């Protein structure tokens, strides 16, 4: 049995390690691609550029430049120094995201090995970290210049610190660090409320020394920040961050996402549930047990427009830690061997698969958002430069659904399509100002990608602008428009 376990351990380490290669190649490709890969990258990084220029993150979207950020301010604050050092490009945001992904893997490694038996601690940590990095969902989302990666890192860091505080009899430094990290995660992206809730329940359940004064202080600080942002933004913050992101629920989308997640990550979840059972029987619930439970609620909200694979990260991360801990605690046995075998097979289902299989069969990625696992090439770079030239030649403001081109050309951000669409869904956006600017041809050029603007805005574009070019970049079609001839 011991020989079988050793062989399975080697395989369970080797297969995920090879599966990490496509993630490394994808991250490297994105770090060398200066244009938008995901449509939201330009807005998220552009907000950092806006901060550096002294602009308002939560401006009035009914008045020129019709811009407002639909996320909290933590991400732009973190990206701004990188943007200042590297120059205007979405690559600055991708550096933060890739570093965040590495940070999450490192935290999983440390957390997974802490509860394992001494001889197996390093192996347990490596198994947990590789299981996370082998997920196709991680490959698709984490390298992008979006708020999600930083939010996930801060969430995991916060829960890790709370666990350390509990282990060290309520060490005030660990407790304070954990609460502040969770608060920063929420103010990066409100989806991190799942981690904050998991941390809250953990503190109430385990009650480490110092939790009683620390928790109310964190709550007061969180509420105070919200009130401050409301006041500074002219009471637009809550509407931009919460109302604009509350899209209608679509049960069919939830079923599609849930089915894909179980097909690709079912084995990992099964291992995590075994780890949860062992933890509850031996030591009592850790923050990762509560994070797993909170992750179920977050996953259930993925049935909304704009949601994606990132809504399943809590389930993935908690399962990586709980499952790896279980494998590190079990003696060589049939259950232990089955767990190792499952962990060896899981990467074949969850992502592009081990290299070089992923290179030979690039279409085998079964993730729901597998199309954004594509590595941009020379043709995409040439297409991006073509769009960039179009934007750079503008004699006035540019309305673009790919805001990264405005960032590179140091032009002001004009509108945020996701914000306007979200507000319009609730009847909370008056588009007359933007429509009037389009009718008067005050907008010199328009770049459309997904036609996400509210319908009155799209109608005004259609009536007053004509397509002069169409460019395919990253397998997406960009429509380049200029004002129609006034005499035409």
């Amino acid at each position: 049995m011991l020989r079988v376990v050793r062989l399975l351990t080697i395989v369970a380490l080797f297969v995920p390690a090879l599966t990490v290669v496509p993630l490394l190649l994808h991250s490297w490709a994105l770090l060398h691609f200066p244009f938008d890969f995901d449509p939201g990258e330009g807005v998220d990084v552009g907000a950092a550029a806006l901060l550096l220029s002294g602009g308002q993150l939560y401006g009035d979207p009914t008045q020129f430049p019709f811009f407002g950020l639909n996320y909290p301010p933590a991400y732009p604050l973190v990206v701004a120094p990188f943007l200042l050092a590297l120059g205007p490009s979405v690559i600055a945001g991708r550096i933060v995201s890739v570093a965040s992904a590495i940070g999450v893997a490192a935290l999983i490694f440390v957390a997974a090995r802490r509860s394992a038996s001494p001889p197996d601690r390093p192996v347990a940590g490596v198994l947990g970290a590789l299981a996370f990095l082998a997920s196709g969902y991680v490959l698709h989302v984490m390298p992008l210049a979006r708020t999600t990666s930083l939010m996930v890192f801060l969430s995991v860091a916060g829960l890790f610190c709370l666990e350390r505080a509990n282990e060290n009899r309520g060490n005030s430094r660990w407790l304070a660090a954990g609460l502040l990290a969770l608060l920063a995660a929420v103010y990066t992206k409100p989806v991190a409320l799942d981690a904050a809730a998991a941390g809250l329940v953990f503190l109430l359940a385990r009650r480490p020394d110092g939790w009683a004064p620390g928790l109310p202080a964190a709550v007061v600080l969180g509420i105070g920040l919200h009130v401050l942002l409301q006041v500074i933004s002219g009471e637009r913050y809550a509407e931009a961050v919460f109302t604009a992101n509350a899209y209608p629920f679509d049960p069919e989308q939830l079923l599609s996402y849930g089915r894909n997640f179980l097909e690709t990550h079912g084995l990992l979840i099964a291992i995590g549930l075994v780890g949860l059972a062992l933890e509850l029987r031996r030591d009592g619930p850790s923050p990762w047990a509560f994070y797993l439970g909170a992750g179920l609620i977050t996953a259930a909200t993925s049935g909304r427009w704009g949601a994606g694979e990132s809504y399943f990260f809590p389930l993935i991360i908690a399962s990586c830690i709980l499952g790896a801990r279980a494998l590190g605690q079990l003696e060589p046995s049939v259950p232990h061997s089955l767990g190792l075998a499952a962990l060896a097979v899981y990467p074949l289902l969850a992502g592009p698969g081990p290299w070089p299989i992923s290179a030979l069969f690039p279409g085998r990625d079964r993730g729901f958002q597998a199309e954004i696992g594509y590595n941009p090439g020379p043709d995409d770079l040439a297409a991006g430069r073509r769009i960039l030239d179009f934007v750079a030649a503008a004699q006035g403001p540019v309305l673009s659904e790919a805001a990264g081109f405005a960032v590179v050309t140091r032009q002001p951000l004009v509108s945020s399509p996701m914000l306007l669409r979200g507000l319009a869904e609730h009847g909370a956006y008056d588009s007359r100002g933007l429509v009037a600017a389009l009718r008067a041809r005050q907008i010199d050029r328009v770049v459309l990608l997904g036609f996400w603007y509210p319908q009155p805005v799209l109608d005004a574009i259609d009536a007053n602008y004509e397509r002069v070019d169409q460019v395919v970049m990253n397998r997406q079609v960009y429509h380049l428009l200029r004002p129609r001839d006034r005499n035409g």
Side-chain angles (χ1 to χ4, degrees):
M1 176 59 71
L2 187 59
R3 289 183 177 179
V4 172
V5 170
R6 287 177 177 172
L7 178 60
L8 286 173
T9 300
I10 293 173
V11 175
L13 289 170
F14 187 66
V15 175
L18 287 180
T19 308
V20 172
V21 174
L23 171 62
L24 296 175
L25 295 175
H26 185 59
S27 299
W28 183 259
L30 290 183
L31 288 174
H32 288 79
F33 187 71
F35 308 121
D36 297 64
F37 189 78
D38 178 272
E41 289 184 298
V43 172
D44 290 354
V45 176
L50 192 64
L51 275 179
L52 293 174
S53 66
Q56 294 185 8
L57 292 182
Y58 307 102
D60 185 352
T62 66
Q63 303 294 324
F64 186 86
F66 314 105
F67 180 84
L69 182 66
N70 59 332
Y71 288 118
Y75 182 79
L77 287 170
V78 172
V79 172
F82 292 89
L83 201 64
L84 190 62
L86 300 174
S89 170
V90 292
I91 292 177
R94 291 181 188 144
I95 289 175
V96 172
S97 295
V98 171
S100 297
I102 295 171
V104 172
L107 287 168
I108 291 174
F109 169 79
V110 178
R113 69 193 294 268
R114 290 188 62 78
S115 297
S117 301
D120 295 323
R121 280 180 178 171
V123 173
V126 174
L127 285 173
L130 288 178
F132 169 73
L133 295 174
S135 168
Y137 286 16
V138 172
L139 181 146
H140 304 154
V141 176
M142 290 297 282
L144 298 174
R146 302 300 311 271
T147 59
T148 296
S149 300
L150 181 62
M151 175 206 72
V152 172
F153 169 71
L154 291 169
S155 297
V156 176
L159 294 176
F160 175 81
C161 290
L162 292 187
E163 185 172 37
R164 290 297 302 272
N166 182 64
E167 294 170 351
N168 290 275
R169 299 181 180 179
N171 182 288
S172 59
R173 292 182 179 178
W174 282 113
L175 184 65
L179 292 173
L180 289 175
L182 290 175
L183 189 61
V186 172
Y187 276 91
T188 301
K189 191 175 183 180
V191 178
L193 286 168
D194 53 14
L200 169 64
V201 177
F202 172 73
L203 291 178
L204 292 174
R206 303 304 291 265
R207 300 184 181 182
D209 296 340
W211 76 274
L215 186 57
V219 172
V220 170
L221 179 58
I223 294 174
L225 286 173
H226 179 85
V227 173
L228 178 63
L229 288 168
Q230 274 288 88
V231 172
I232 292 176
S233 66
E235 300 187 354
R236 289 187 291 268
Y237 172 76
E239 185 178 63
V241 173
F242 296 102
T243 303
N245 287 306
Y247 289 100
F249 183 75
D250 182 356
E252 188 172 327
Q253 178 174 313
L254 172 61
L255 289 174
S256 298
Y257 267 119
R259 186 182 305 114
N260 183 263
F261 179 71
L262 290 176
E263 290 175 356
T264 55
H265 292 77
L267 284 176
L268 179 66
I269 298 301
I271 298 171
L273 291 175
V274 172
L276 174 63
L278 289 176
E279 177 177 274
L280 295 177
R281 189 177 69 179
R282 293 183 178 184
D283 307 316
S286 68
W288 315 112
F290 296 114
Y291 197 35
L292 187 69
L296 288 172
I297 299 175
T298 300
T301 65
S302 63
R304 298 181 299 110
W305 189 87
E309 293 175 344
S310 63
Y311 280 58
F312 296 88
F313 280 161
L315 294 176
I316 294 172
I317 293 168
S319 295
C320 288
I321 294 173
L322 293 170
R325 284 180 173 180
L327 291 173
Q329 292 169 353
L330 289 173
E331 297 294 332
S333 59
V334 173
H336 188 215
S337 299
L338 289 175
L340 289 172
L343 202 57
V345 174
Y346 144 75
L348 301 175
L349 303 175
W355 185 89
I357 293 177
S358 58
L360 297 174
F361 304 98
R364 67 180 307 277
D365 189 339
R366 301 168 64 230
F368 201 85
Q369 294 179 264
E371 73 279 357
I372 58 175
Y374 162 77
N375 294 340
D379 290 344
D380 300 302
L381 187 61
R385 288 172 177 159
R386 191 165 142 199
I387 300 171
L388 184 67
D389 290 341
F390 175 79
V391 172
Q395 300 299 311
V398 177
L399 185 72
S400 176
E401 288 182 327
F405 292 100
V407 173
V408 174
T409 56
R410 302 180 186 271
Q411 296 190 16
L413 296 181
V414 179
S415 88
S416 172
M418 302 307 177
L419 173 70
L420 305 193
R421 179 187 178 117
L423 293 177
E425 288 278 353
H426 297 276
Y429 180 64
D430 183 353
S431 61
R432 287 179 294 179
L434 180 52
V435 168
L438 290 166
R439 287 176 175 170
R441 275 78 162 187
Q442 292 173 356
I443 305 296
D444 187 63
R445 303 195 174 196
V446 176
V447 179
L448 293 178
L449 177 59
F451 298 87
W452 295 302
Y453 288 107
Q455 194 57 49
V457 176
L458 293 176
D459 290 342
I461 293 173
D462 184 58
N464 296 279
Y465 292 76
E466 61 182 351
R467 189 178 67 189
V468 295
D469 201 355
Q470 181 174 299
V471 181
V472 178
M473 184 182 76
N474 301 327
R475 302 177 180 175
Q476 301 180 86
V477 180
Y478 288 76
H479 304 272
L480 313 184
L481 300 93
R482 295 189 64 180
R484 296 183 185 276
D485 187 349
R486 292 180 182 273
N487 299 318

